Protein backbone atom coordinates (compact mmCIF):
# COMPACT_ATOMS: atom_id res chain seq x y z
CA UNK A 1 0.00 0.00 0.00
CA UNK A 2 1.23 3.50 -0.75
CA UNK A 3 -0.06 4.90 2.54
CA UNK A 4 2.88 4.63 4.93
CA UNK A 5 0.80 3.88 8.00
CA UNK A 6 -1.68 1.54 6.33
CA UNK A 7 -0.07 -1.83 7.07
CA UNK A 8 0.87 -1.08 10.64
CA UNK A 9 -2.58 0.32 11.40
CA UNK A 10 -4.38 -2.66 9.91
CA UNK A 11 -2.21 -5.22 11.69
CA UNK A 12 -2.51 -3.52 15.06
CA UNK A 13 -6.23 -2.97 14.69
CA UNK A 14 -6.90 -6.54 13.61
CA UNK A 15 -5.01 -7.85 16.63
CA UNK A 16 -7.26 -5.73 18.82
CA UNK A 17 -10.44 -6.51 16.90
CA UNK A 18 -10.05 -10.26 16.95
CA UNK A 19 -8.47 -10.75 20.38
CA UNK A 20 -11.81 -11.12 22.22
CA UNK A 21 -12.90 -14.03 20.06
CA UNK A 22 -10.31 -16.32 21.64
CA UNK A 23 -12.33 -16.21 24.89
CA UNK A 24 -15.99 -15.73 24.13
CA UNK A 25 -16.90 -15.53 27.82
CA UNK A 26 -14.91 -12.35 28.41
CA UNK A 27 -16.72 -9.36 29.88
CA UNK A 28 -17.44 -6.23 27.83
CA UNK A 29 -14.61 -4.51 29.71
CA UNK A 30 -12.16 -6.87 27.98
CA UNK A 31 -13.06 -5.53 24.53
CA UNK A 32 -10.40 -3.30 22.97
CA UNK A 33 -11.14 0.40 23.24
CA UNK A 34 -10.17 3.43 21.17
CA UNK A 35 -10.80 6.89 22.59
CA UNK A 36 -10.98 9.89 20.27
CA UNK A 37 -10.47 13.13 22.20
CA UNK A 38 -10.58 16.80 21.25
CA UNK A 39 -12.83 16.30 18.20
CA UNK A 40 -15.82 18.15 16.76
CA UNK A 41 -18.47 15.58 15.83
CA UNK A 42 -20.82 15.63 12.85
CA UNK A 43 -23.22 12.88 13.92
CA UNK A 44 -24.71 12.25 10.47
CA UNK A 45 -28.03 13.88 11.36
CA UNK A 46 -27.72 17.31 12.98
CA UNK A 47 -26.18 20.34 11.34
CA UNK A 48 -24.69 21.61 14.59
CA UNK A 49 -21.43 19.91 15.47
CA UNK A 50 -20.83 18.47 18.93
CA UNK A 51 -17.82 20.58 19.84
CA UNK A 52 -14.83 19.61 21.96
CA UNK A 53 -16.15 16.08 22.23
CA UNK A 54 -14.80 12.64 22.98
CA UNK A 55 -15.90 9.41 21.33
CA UNK A 56 -15.18 6.00 22.86
CA UNK A 57 -15.13 2.94 20.61
CA UNK A 58 -15.38 -0.47 22.25
CA UNK A 59 -14.90 -3.46 20.01
CA UNK A 60 -16.69 -2.63 16.78
CA UNK A 61 -19.30 -0.28 18.29
CA UNK A 62 -19.44 3.30 19.50
CA UNK A 63 -19.84 3.11 23.28
CA UNK A 64 -19.96 6.78 24.31
CA UNK A 65 -20.23 10.21 22.67
CA UNK A 66 -19.74 13.02 25.18
CA UNK A 67 -18.80 16.65 25.53
CA UNK A 68 -17.27 15.70 28.87
CA UNK A 69 -14.05 13.79 29.38
CA UNK A 70 -14.44 10.00 29.17
CA UNK A 71 -12.64 7.82 31.69
CA UNK A 72 -11.17 4.90 29.73
CA UNK A 73 -7.75 4.13 31.21
CA UNK A 74 -7.13 1.08 29.00
CA UNK A 75 -8.11 2.73 25.73
CA UNK A 76 -5.79 3.65 22.89
CA UNK A 77 -6.10 7.45 22.84
CA UNK A 78 -6.21 9.44 19.61
CA UNK A 79 -6.01 13.21 20.04
CA UNK A 80 -8.09 14.68 17.22
CA UNK A 81 -6.55 18.13 17.66
CA UNK A 82 -9.86 19.88 16.93
CA UNK A 83 -10.55 18.05 13.69
CA UNK A 84 -13.98 16.82 12.59
CA UNK A 85 -15.11 13.28 13.33
CA UNK A 86 -17.85 11.99 11.02
CA UNK A 87 -19.51 8.71 10.10
CA UNK A 88 -17.84 6.73 7.33
CA UNK A 89 -19.28 7.58 3.93
CA UNK A 90 -21.84 5.35 2.20
CA UNK A 91 -21.99 4.79 -1.56
CA UNK A 92 -25.45 3.63 -2.60
CA UNK A 93 -24.94 2.83 -6.27
CA UNK A 94 -21.64 1.39 -7.42
CA UNK A 95 -20.58 -1.39 -9.81
CA UNK A 96 -17.41 -2.78 -8.30
CA UNK A 97 -17.14 -5.68 -10.74
CA UNK A 98 -17.60 -3.75 -13.99
CA UNK A 99 -14.32 -2.42 -15.36
CA UNK A 100 -15.40 -1.43 -18.85
CA UNK A 101 -14.23 -0.01 -21.19
CA UNK A 102 -17.59 -0.97 -22.67
CA UNK A 103 -20.39 -3.44 -22.13
CA UNK A 104 -19.52 -5.24 -25.37
CA UNK A 105 -15.90 -5.67 -24.29
CA UNK A 106 -16.95 -7.13 -20.95
CA UNK A 107 -19.33 -9.51 -22.69
CA UNK A 108 -16.87 -10.71 -25.32
CA UNK A 109 -13.39 -10.50 -23.83
CA UNK A 110 -13.54 -10.64 -20.03
CA UNK A 111 -13.06 -13.64 -17.74
CA UNK A 112 -14.11 -14.21 -14.15
CA UNK A 113 -10.51 -13.54 -13.12
CA UNK A 114 -10.65 -10.08 -14.72
CA UNK A 115 -13.88 -9.24 -12.92
CA UNK A 116 -12.56 -10.55 -9.60
CA UNK A 117 -9.28 -8.65 -9.75
CA UNK A 118 -11.06 -5.44 -10.68
CA UNK A 119 -13.58 -5.86 -7.86
CA UNK A 120 -10.79 -6.41 -5.35
CA UNK A 121 -9.01 -3.23 -6.40
CA UNK A 122 -12.25 -1.24 -6.44
CA UNK A 123 -13.10 -2.38 -2.92
CA UNK A 124 -9.80 -1.11 -1.55
CA UNK A 125 -10.07 2.15 -3.48
CA UNK A 126 -13.54 2.85 -2.10
CA UNK A 127 -12.47 2.26 1.49
CA UNK A 128 -9.45 4.52 1.13
CA UNK A 129 -11.69 7.26 -0.29
CA UNK A 130 -13.60 7.21 2.99
CA UNK A 131 -16.45 4.85 2.05
CA UNK A 132 -16.97 2.30 4.79
CA UNK A 133 -20.16 0.94 3.17
CA UNK A 134 -20.98 0.34 -0.51
CA UNK A 135 -24.22 -0.90 -2.06
CA UNK A 136 -23.49 -2.55 -5.40
CA UNK A 137 -26.24 -1.88 -7.92
CA UNK A 138 -25.71 -4.90 -10.15
CA UNK A 139 -23.01 -7.30 -11.27
CA UNK A 140 -21.62 -8.49 -7.94
CA UNK A 141 -22.62 -11.60 -6.03
CA UNK A 142 -21.71 -12.59 -2.48
CA UNK A 143 -18.09 -13.62 -3.00
CA UNK A 144 -16.59 -10.16 -2.74
CA UNK A 145 -18.36 -9.52 0.55
CA UNK A 146 -17.23 -12.86 1.97
CA UNK A 147 -13.63 -12.02 1.10
CA UNK A 148 -13.88 -8.57 2.68
CA UNK A 149 -15.68 -9.69 5.83
CA UNK A 150 -13.27 -12.58 6.40
CA UNK A 151 -10.26 -10.27 6.10
CA UNK A 152 -8.88 -11.82 2.90
CA UNK A 153 -9.07 -8.49 1.07
CA UNK A 154 -9.53 -4.89 2.16
CA UNK A 155 -12.80 -3.14 1.45
CA UNK A 156 -16.00 -1.56 2.77
CA UNK A 157 -19.10 -3.23 4.11
CA UNK A 158 -20.73 -4.57 0.99
CA UNK A 159 -24.38 -4.89 -0.10
CA UNK A 160 -24.49 -6.68 -3.50
CA UNK A 161 -27.55 -7.01 -5.74
CA UNK A 162 -26.43 -10.05 -7.73
CA UNK A 163 -27.33 -10.03 -11.40
CA UNK A 164 -29.14 -7.13 -13.00
CA UNK A 165 -32.69 -8.25 -13.81
CA UNK A 166 -34.17 -6.86 -17.01
CA UNK A 167 -36.06 -7.55 -20.20
CA UNK A 168 -34.85 -8.48 -23.67
CA UNK A 169 -33.58 -5.33 -25.36
CA UNK A 170 -33.66 -3.45 -22.05
CA UNK A 171 -30.95 -1.90 -19.94
CA UNK A 172 -29.81 -5.26 -18.53
CA UNK A 173 -29.43 -6.82 -21.99
CA UNK A 174 -25.66 -6.87 -22.47
CA UNK A 175 -25.62 -9.69 -25.05
CA UNK A 176 -23.96 -9.27 -28.42
CA UNK A 177 -26.08 -7.95 -31.27
CA UNK A 178 -26.51 -11.38 -32.90
CA UNK A 179 -27.25 -13.27 -29.68
CA UNK A 180 -30.63 -15.07 -29.90
CA UNK A 181 -33.30 -14.69 -27.22
CA UNK A 182 -32.40 -16.80 -24.22
CA UNK A 183 -28.92 -17.47 -25.58
CA UNK A 184 -25.99 -18.08 -23.24
CA UNK A 185 -23.98 -14.95 -22.43
CA UNK A 186 -20.85 -14.15 -20.46
CA UNK A 187 -22.85 -11.91 -18.14
CA UNK A 188 -25.45 -14.62 -17.64
CA UNK A 189 -22.99 -17.44 -16.96
CA UNK A 190 -21.30 -15.35 -14.26
CA UNK A 191 -24.66 -14.11 -12.87
CA UNK A 192 -23.79 -10.52 -13.59
CA UNK A 193 -26.97 -9.88 -15.58
CA UNK A 194 -30.04 -11.98 -16.41
CA UNK A 195 -32.69 -11.56 -19.10
CA UNK A 196 -36.26 -12.21 -17.96
CA UNK A 197 -39.37 -12.98 -19.98
CA UNK A 198 -42.37 -13.20 -17.71
CA UNK A 199 -43.05 -13.64 -14.04
CA UNK A 200 -41.53 -17.14 -13.85
CA UNK A 201 -38.13 -15.81 -14.93
CA UNK A 202 -38.32 -13.04 -12.34
CA UNK A 203 -39.02 -15.65 -9.66
CA UNK A 204 -36.17 -17.84 -10.92
CA UNK A 205 -33.46 -15.20 -11.17
CA UNK A 206 -34.63 -13.14 -8.21
CA UNK A 207 -34.46 -16.13 -5.88
CA UNK A 208 -31.17 -17.20 -7.42
CA UNK A 209 -29.71 -13.76 -6.70
CA UNK A 210 -30.49 -14.14 -3.01
CA UNK A 211 -29.03 -17.66 -3.16
CA UNK A 212 -25.86 -16.13 -4.61
CA UNK A 213 -25.51 -13.62 -1.77
CA UNK A 214 -27.58 -10.62 -2.85
CA UNK A 215 -28.90 -8.36 -0.11
CA UNK A 216 -31.55 -6.75 -2.37
CA UNK A 217 -32.71 -7.04 -5.99
CA UNK A 218 -32.05 -4.65 -8.89
CA UNK A 219 -34.68 -4.41 -11.67
CA UNK A 220 -34.11 -2.36 -14.84
CA UNK A 221 -37.51 -0.81 -15.59
CA UNK A 222 -36.27 2.01 -17.86
CA UNK A 223 -33.90 2.22 -20.74
CA UNK A 224 -30.58 4.02 -20.54
CA UNK A 225 -28.09 6.12 -22.47
CA UNK A 226 -24.81 4.18 -22.68
CA UNK A 227 -26.41 0.92 -23.74
CA UNK A 228 -26.94 -0.68 -27.11
CA UNK A 229 -30.59 -1.52 -27.63
CA UNK A 230 -32.82 0.54 -25.34
CA UNK A 231 -34.18 4.07 -25.66
CA UNK A 232 -34.08 5.83 -22.30
CA UNK A 233 -37.85 6.32 -22.58
CA UNK A 234 -38.43 2.54 -22.53
CA UNK A 235 -40.99 1.23 -20.02
CA UNK A 236 -39.38 -2.15 -19.41
CA UNK A 237 -41.03 -4.83 -17.31
CA UNK A 238 -44.75 -5.48 -17.12
CA UNK A 239 -46.46 -4.48 -13.86
CA UNK A 240 -46.79 -8.13 -12.88
CA UNK A 241 -43.03 -8.69 -13.47
CA UNK A 242 -42.08 -5.75 -11.26
CA UNK A 243 -44.55 -6.97 -8.64
CA UNK A 244 -42.99 -10.42 -8.83
CA UNK A 245 -39.58 -8.96 -8.02
CA UNK A 246 -41.05 -7.13 -5.04
CA UNK A 247 -42.72 -10.37 -3.92
CA UNK A 248 -39.45 -12.32 -4.10
CA UNK A 249 -37.64 -9.61 -2.14
CA UNK A 250 -40.40 -9.62 0.47
CA UNK A 251 -39.94 -13.37 0.91
CA UNK A 252 -36.44 -12.53 2.10
CA UNK A 253 -37.59 -9.48 4.11
CA UNK A 254 -35.66 -7.32 1.65
CA UNK A 255 -36.55 -4.85 -1.11
CA UNK A 256 -36.13 -3.90 -4.78
CA UNK A 257 -34.08 -1.06 -6.20
CA UNK A 258 -35.18 -0.01 -9.68
CA UNK A 259 -33.28 1.68 -12.50
CA UNK A 260 -35.86 4.24 -13.60
CA UNK A 261 -35.53 7.38 -15.74
CA UNK A 262 -38.99 8.19 -17.08
CA UNK A 263 -41.71 9.49 -14.76
CA UNK A 264 -44.11 6.70 -15.71
CA UNK A 265 -41.43 4.12 -14.93
CA UNK A 266 -40.80 5.68 -11.51
CA UNK A 267 -44.50 5.68 -10.71
CA UNK A 268 -44.85 2.06 -11.87
CA UNK A 269 -42.01 1.09 -9.57
CA UNK A 270 -43.45 2.89 -6.56
CA UNK A 271 -46.92 1.47 -7.19
CA UNK A 272 -45.43 -2.03 -7.21
CA UNK A 273 -43.64 -1.51 -3.89
CA UNK A 274 -40.12 -0.65 -5.03
CA UNK A 275 -38.32 1.12 -2.18
CA UNK A 276 -35.29 2.63 -3.91
CA UNK A 277 -35.44 4.59 -7.16
CA UNK A 278 -32.11 4.64 -8.99
CA UNK A 279 -31.25 7.73 -11.05
CA UNK A 280 -34.85 9.01 -11.14
CA UNK A 281 -33.96 11.87 -13.46
CA UNK A 282 -37.60 12.75 -14.18
CA UNK A 283 -38.22 13.37 -10.48
CA UNK A 284 -40.87 15.97 -9.69
CA UNK A 285 -43.20 16.92 -6.85
CA UNK A 286 -45.81 14.35 -7.91
CA UNK A 287 -43.22 11.64 -7.47
CA UNK A 288 -42.07 13.18 -4.18
CA UNK A 289 -45.59 12.89 -2.76
CA UNK A 290 -45.82 9.20 -3.58
CA UNK A 291 -42.31 8.53 -2.29
CA UNK A 292 -43.16 10.09 1.04
CA UNK A 293 -46.34 8.01 1.28
CA UNK A 294 -44.37 4.84 0.55
CA UNK A 295 -41.29 5.71 2.63
CA UNK A 296 -39.13 5.28 -0.48
CA UNK A 297 -35.65 6.60 -1.30
CA UNK A 298 -33.85 7.89 -4.39
CA UNK A 299 -30.21 7.84 -5.43
CA UNK A 300 -29.02 9.98 -8.32
CA UNK A 301 -25.69 10.31 -10.11
CA UNK A 302 -25.38 14.09 -10.45
CA UNK A 303 -22.74 13.75 -13.17
CA UNK A 304 -25.74 13.24 -15.47
CA UNK A 305 -26.36 16.99 -15.19
CA UNK A 306 -22.79 17.94 -16.04
CA UNK A 307 -22.30 19.63 -19.44
CA UNK A 308 -19.32 17.34 -20.00
CA UNK A 309 -21.62 14.31 -20.22
CA UNK A 310 -21.81 14.68 -24.00
CA UNK A 311 -18.02 14.37 -24.17
CA UNK A 312 -17.93 11.00 -22.42
CA UNK A 313 -16.24 8.71 -24.99
CA UNK A 314 -18.91 6.01 -24.63
CA UNK A 315 -21.50 8.69 -25.48
CA UNK A 316 -19.65 10.91 -27.93
CA UNK A 317 -18.34 8.07 -30.08
CA UNK A 318 -21.65 6.23 -30.39
CA UNK A 319 -24.23 8.07 -32.51
CA UNK A 320 -27.24 6.42 -30.87
CA UNK A 321 -25.94 7.11 -27.35
CA UNK A 322 -25.15 10.73 -28.22
CA UNK A 323 -28.67 11.26 -29.54
CA UNK A 324 -30.14 9.65 -26.41
CA UNK A 325 -27.95 11.77 -24.15
CA UNK A 326 -29.03 15.01 -25.83
CA UNK A 327 -32.69 14.06 -25.57
CA UNK A 328 -32.35 12.95 -21.96
CA UNK A 329 -30.47 16.08 -20.90
CA UNK A 330 -33.26 18.29 -22.18
CA UNK A 331 -35.93 16.21 -20.45
CA UNK A 332 -34.17 15.91 -17.09
CA UNK A 333 -33.28 19.60 -16.70
CA UNK A 334 -35.74 20.19 -13.85
CA UNK A 335 -34.46 17.46 -11.52
CA UNK A 336 -32.37 19.74 -9.29
CA UNK A 337 -34.96 22.54 -8.81
CA UNK A 338 -37.65 19.90 -8.22
CA UNK A 339 -35.50 18.15 -5.61
CA UNK A 340 -34.94 21.44 -3.84
CA UNK A 341 -38.64 22.31 -3.92
CA UNK A 342 -39.89 18.86 -2.84
CA UNK A 343 -36.98 17.10 -1.15
CA UNK A 344 -37.03 13.39 -0.40
CA UNK A 345 -34.34 11.17 1.16
CA UNK A 346 -31.56 11.02 -1.43
CA UNK A 347 -28.55 8.74 -1.20
CA UNK A 348 -25.10 9.31 -2.68
CA UNK A 349 -24.56 7.62 -6.06
CA UNK A 350 -21.57 7.53 -8.41
CA UNK A 351 -22.53 4.74 -10.89
CA UNK A 352 -19.05 4.43 -12.34
CA UNK A 353 -18.21 1.68 -14.81
CA UNK A 354 -14.54 1.86 -15.71
CA UNK A 355 -11.01 1.61 -14.44
CA UNK A 356 -10.19 2.05 -10.77
CA UNK A 357 -8.31 5.26 -11.56
CA UNK A 358 -11.24 6.70 -13.57
CA UNK A 359 -13.76 5.80 -10.87
CA UNK A 360 -11.56 7.42 -8.22
CA UNK A 361 -11.77 10.67 -10.18
CA UNK A 362 -15.53 10.30 -10.74
CA UNK A 363 -16.21 9.69 -7.03
CA UNK A 364 -14.37 12.88 -6.09
CA UNK A 365 -16.26 14.82 -8.76
CA UNK A 366 -19.60 13.39 -7.59
CA UNK A 367 -18.80 14.61 -4.07
CA UNK A 368 -18.05 18.05 -5.53
CA UNK A 369 -21.33 18.18 -7.50
CA UNK A 370 -23.38 17.25 -4.44
CA UNK A 371 -22.03 20.27 -2.62
CA UNK A 372 -22.30 22.49 -5.69
CA UNK A 373 -25.97 21.65 -6.23
CA UNK A 374 -27.24 21.06 -2.68
CA UNK A 375 -24.75 22.56 -0.21
CA UNK A 376 -22.57 20.93 2.44
CA UNK A 377 -25.12 19.91 5.07
CA UNK A 378 -27.47 18.13 2.68
CA UNK A 379 -24.45 16.54 1.00
CA UNK A 380 -23.19 15.20 4.32
CA UNK A 381 -26.61 13.70 5.06
CA UNK A 382 -26.55 12.11 1.62
CA UNK A 383 -23.13 10.60 2.31
CA UNK A 384 -23.96 9.29 5.78
CA UNK A 385 -27.27 8.74 7.60
CA UNK A 386 -29.50 8.47 4.52
CA UNK A 387 -27.24 5.74 3.19
CA UNK A 388 -27.49 4.00 6.54
CA UNK A 389 -31.28 4.03 6.29
CA UNK A 390 -31.10 2.55 2.78
CA UNK A 391 -28.77 -0.21 3.98
CA UNK A 392 -31.27 -1.12 6.70
CA UNK A 393 -33.98 -1.77 4.08
CA UNK A 394 -32.38 -5.17 3.45
CA UNK A 395 -34.02 -6.36 6.67
CA UNK A 396 -32.95 -8.72 9.40
CA UNK A 397 -32.61 -11.78 7.13
CA UNK A 398 -30.39 -10.51 4.33
CA UNK A 399 -28.64 -7.56 5.99
CA UNK A 400 -25.09 -8.84 6.62
CA UNK A 401 -24.57 -6.18 9.31
CA UNK A 402 -27.83 -6.19 11.30
CA UNK A 403 -26.60 -5.51 14.81
CA UNK A 404 -26.18 -1.71 14.78
CA UNK A 405 -26.83 1.46 12.79
CA UNK A 406 -24.69 2.69 9.92
CA UNK A 407 -24.10 6.29 8.86
CA UNK A 408 -24.34 7.90 12.31
CA UNK A 409 -22.14 8.74 15.28
CA UNK A 410 -24.19 7.70 18.28
CA UNK A 411 -23.99 5.27 21.15
CA UNK A 412 -24.50 1.70 19.93
CA UNK A 413 -23.79 2.46 16.25
CA UNK A 414 -21.12 0.65 14.28
CA UNK A 415 -17.68 2.20 14.69
CA UNK A 416 -17.33 3.35 11.07
CA UNK A 417 -15.55 6.66 11.55
CA UNK A 418 -13.59 9.27 9.62
CA UNK A 419 -11.46 12.08 11.00
CA UNK A 420 -11.33 15.04 8.61
CA UNK A 421 -8.75 17.81 8.65
CA UNK A 422 -11.31 20.61 8.71
CA UNK A 423 -15.04 21.18 8.97
CA UNK A 424 -16.91 19.83 5.90
CA UNK A 425 -19.87 22.11 6.65
CA UNK A 426 -17.58 25.09 6.08
CA UNK A 427 -15.11 23.64 3.56
CA UNK A 428 -16.60 20.64 1.82
CA UNK A 429 -13.37 19.87 -0.02
CA UNK A 430 -12.05 18.11 3.09
CA UNK A 431 -14.22 15.07 2.22
CA UNK A 432 -12.00 14.52 -0.81
CA UNK A 433 -13.64 16.40 -3.68
CA UNK A 434 -12.37 17.04 -7.19
CA UNK A 435 -13.67 19.87 -9.36
CA UNK A 436 -12.89 18.21 -12.68
CA UNK A 437 -14.11 15.00 -14.29
CA UNK A 438 -12.71 14.23 -17.72
CA UNK A 439 -9.15 15.38 -18.16
CA UNK A 440 -8.53 15.51 -14.41
CA UNK A 441 -5.16 14.44 -13.04
CA UNK A 442 -5.05 11.07 -11.26
CA UNK A 443 -6.34 11.20 -7.70
CA UNK A 444 -4.29 10.14 -4.67
CA UNK A 445 -4.90 6.70 -3.22
CA UNK A 446 -6.57 8.46 -0.29
CA UNK A 447 -7.33 12.17 0.24
CA UNK A 448 -4.81 13.87 2.50
CA UNK A 449 -7.61 15.58 4.41
CA UNK A 450 -9.07 12.22 5.50
CA UNK A 451 -6.68 11.57 8.35
CA UNK A 452 -8.26 8.48 9.89
CA UNK A 453 -10.42 5.76 8.35
CA UNK A 454 -11.97 3.28 10.80
CA UNK A 455 -14.36 0.53 9.75
CA UNK A 456 -15.95 -1.84 12.25
CA UNK A 457 -13.59 -0.61 14.94
CA UNK A 458 -10.49 -1.32 12.83
CA UNK A 459 -8.22 1.55 11.74
CA UNK A 460 -7.22 1.26 8.08
CA UNK A 461 -5.56 4.66 7.78
CA UNK A 462 -3.97 6.97 10.33
CA UNK A 463 -1.79 9.86 9.21
CA UNK A 464 -1.97 11.89 12.42
CA UNK A 465 1.55 10.87 13.47
Amino acid sequence: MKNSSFLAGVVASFVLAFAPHAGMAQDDEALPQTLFTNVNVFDGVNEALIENASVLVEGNLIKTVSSDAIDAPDATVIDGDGQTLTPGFIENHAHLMLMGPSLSAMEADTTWEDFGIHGTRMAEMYLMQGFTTVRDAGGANGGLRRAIDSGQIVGPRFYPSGAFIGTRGGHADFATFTSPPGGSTNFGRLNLSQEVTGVDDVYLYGRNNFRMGATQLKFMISGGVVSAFDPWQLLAGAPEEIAAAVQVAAEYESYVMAHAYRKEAIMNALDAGVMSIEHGFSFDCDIAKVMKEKGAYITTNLTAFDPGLLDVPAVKNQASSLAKAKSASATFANYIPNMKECPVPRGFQTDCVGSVEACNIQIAYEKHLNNDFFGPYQSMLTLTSIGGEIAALSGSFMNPYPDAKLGVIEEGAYADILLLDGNPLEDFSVVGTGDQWFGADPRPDSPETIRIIMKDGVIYKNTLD
Side-chain angles (χ1 to χ4, degrees):
M1 307 301 169
K2 295 182 181 180
N3 189 290
S4 60
S5 62
F6 176 86
L7 184 58
V10 170
V11 171
S13 298
F14 264 82
V15 169
L16 290 173
F18 287 99
H21 297 284
M24 297 302 293
Q26 296 184 47
D27 295 332
D28 287 348
E29 289 75 18
L31 292 172
Q33 295 181 328
T34 302
L35 178 61
F36 294 91
T37 64
N38 191 20
V39 293
N40 298 317
V41 176
F42 172 73
D43 65 5
V45 178
N46 297 293
E47 187 167 8
L49 301 183
I50 305 171
E51 297 184 349
N52 301 317
S54 295
V55 176
L56 178 63
V57 171
E58 188 171 79
N60 68 337
L61 301 177
I62 296 172
K63 182 176 178 62
T64 309
V65 180
S66 178
S67 296
D68 298 323
I70 296 173
D71 183 23
D74 296 326
T76 299
V77 179
I78 296 176
D79 183 352
D81 193 28
Q83 298 180 31
T84 306
L85 186 146
T86 78
F89 299 147
I90 299 176
E91 165 72 81
N92 294 281
H93 189 119
H95 298 290
L96 266 61
M97 301 298 283
L98 305 186
M99 74 292 290
S102 66
L103 296 173
S104 58
M106 287 186 284
E107 172 60 29
D109 299 321
T110 308
T111 69
W112 64 265
E113 295 101 330
D114 298 316
F115 286 114
I117 291 168
H118 179 74
T120 299
R121 294 186 62 225
M122 285 285 285
E124 181 183 334
M125 182 273 288
Y126 257 106
L127 181 62
M128 299 313 291
Q129 295 304 311
F131 289 87
T132 52
T133 298
V134 168
R135 183 180 65 160
D136 194 284
N141 296 286
L144 195 61
R145 185 185 69 241
R146 290 197 300 270
I148 293 170
D149 290 351
S150 65
Q152 296 180 68
I153 64 174
V154 171
R157 300 179 191 273
F158 194 58
Y159 288 80
S161 301
F164 301 93
I165 296 174
T167 60
R168 175 74 172 177
H171 199 56
D173 184 353
F174 304 146
T176 59
F177 181 70
T178 57
S179 177
S184 177
T185 66
N186 192 33
F187 273 85
R189 288 187 295 271
L190 298 175
N191 203 51
L192 302 178
S193 183
Q194 298 292 359
E195 175 187 319
V196 299
T197 302
V199 167
D200 288 346
D201 281 349
V202 176
Y203 289 155
L204 174 65
Y205 291 119
R207 289 168 179 150
N208 187 61
N209 274 345
F210 283 120
R211 183 179 185 274
M212 297 294 289
T215 54
Q216 65 282 323
L217 299 181
K218 170 74 174 297
F219 201 118
M220 304 292 219
I221 66 171
S222 277
V225 173
V226 187
S227 43
F229 311 117
D230 49 321
W232 68 261
Q233 299 94 334
L234 179 68
L235 295 177
E240 59 268 23
E241 291 173 325
I242 303 170
V246 172
Q247 177 189 325
V248 171
E251 294 170 359
Y252 289 83
E253 203 178 276
S254 185
Y255 70 101
V256 174
M257 53 194 296
H259 167 104
Y261 283 13
R262 186 173 164 184
K263 181 174 181 178
E264 292 86 346
I266 297 170
M267 289 298 201
N268 286 347
L270 294 170
D271 288 344
V274 168
M275 292 300 293
S276 181
I277 301 299
E278 307 306 301
H279 312 297
F281 299 132
S282 296
F283 175 86
D284 62 14
C285 292
D286 294 336
I287 293 170
K289 180 180 179 181
V290 178
M291 287 184 64
K292 291 176 180 177
E293 292 171 353
K294 303 283 189 178
Y297 294 79
I298 191 170
T299 81
T300 306
N301 46 320
L302 300 181
T303 48
F305 307 112
D306 185 84
L309 178 67
L310 300 182
D311 293 323
V312 175
V315 173
K316 184 178 181 180
N317 299 331
Q318 182 70 31
S320 60
S321 292
L322 182 60
K324 287 195 289 183
K326 289 179 178 178
S327 169
S329 296
T331 303
F332 304 156
N334 290 324
Y335 172 95
I336 292 170
N338 287 340
M339 184 61 70
K340 291 179 177 179
E341 180 181 354
C342 303
V344 296
R346 179 180 59 86
F348 184 89
Q349 181 196 143
T350 304
D351 192 32
C352 184
V353 174
S355 70
V356 176
E357 294 75 17
C359 288
N360 191 343
I361 291 170
Q362 188 171 332
I363 290 165
Y365 190 57
E366 185 70 33
K367 291 176 180 176
H368 164 79
L369 290 178
N370 268 269
N371 179 56
D372 195 40
F373 292 147
F374 295 105
Y377 174 56
Q378 186 59 51
S379 298
M380 288 299 292
L381 294 179
T382 296
L383 278 164
T384 57
S385 59
I386 294 174
E389 294 171 10
I390 292 173
L393 292 175
S394 55
S396 59
F397 298 165
M398 304 313 297
N399 187 349
Y401 319 103
D403 297 329
K405 286 185 178 181
L406 294 170
V408 293
I409 302 297
E410 65 179 47
E411 295 178 6
Y414 279 121
D416 293 1
I417 291 171
L418 305 179
L419 194 64
L420 306 181
D421 191 3
N423 180 355
L425 300 179
E426 296 177 352
D427 178 7
F428 196 73
S429 69
V430 300
V431 306
T433 63
D435 61 4
Q436 188 177 359
W437 188 8
F438 292 97
D441 292 333
R443 298 281 305 171
D445 289 346
S446 186
E448 292 182 4
T449 50
I450 301 180
R451 304 299 298 277
I452 285 180
I453 299 173
M454 171 184 277
K455 186 198 82 174
D456 208 38
V458 176
I459 293 177
Y460 289 83
K461 176 186 177 182
N462 183 355
T463 58
L464 289 180
D465 298 331

